[in-house]
Amino acid sequence: MPDRILKVNAYTTLDLVDASATGHDFEESAFAVCNVTSPRKHPDEITLELELDWTQLDALAPHADKLTLSPEEARKLAADLEKHADRVEAEQRD
């Protein structure tokens, strides 16, 4: 992805995932980068970042979306991801 906004390296959480962007009058799919970070010194928040490959999109300008989470919010999100991962894995086993 040329002109990437998010930094991608060996520490990036997910460097190539399927994603989509949905608006009132569009829905587009693209590869994306998804990363979780916190400050190295004096961490006080968790950041969840998502950037879709803008070269695959027609309706959106290049950008990255970021969520700033408290530790409690990050744990709640992680728990919900685990719950849904377990549910999908159980269905795939059956």
Side-chain angles (χ1 to χ4, degrees), residues 20-41:
S20 62
T22 305
H24 288 291
D25 57 348
F26 72 91
E27 182 167 353
E28 295 186 291
S29 296
F31 292 121
V33 171
C34 183
N35 198 32
V36 179
T37 63
S38 61
R40 287 184 186 193
K41 293 183 179 181

Side-chain angles (χ1 to χ4, degrees), residues 16-74:
L16 185 64
V17 295
D18 292 325
S20 62
T22 305
H24 288 291
D25 57 348
F26 72 91
E27 182 167 353
E28 295 186 291
S29 296
F31 292 121
V33 171
C34 183
N35 198 32
V36 179
T37 63
S38 61
R40 287 184 186 193
K41 293 183 179 181
H42 311 293
D44 60 346
E45 63 187 23
I46 298 93
T47 303
L48 175 63
E49 305 168 312
L50 179 69
E51 179 183 2
L52 276 67
D53 182 350
W54 65 270
T55 64
Q56 297 180 298
L57 303 174
D58 295 321
L60 292 175
H63 74 286
D65 296 304
K66 297 182 180 187
L67 289 174
T68 302
L69 305 168
S70 67
E72 180 182 344
E73 292 167 329

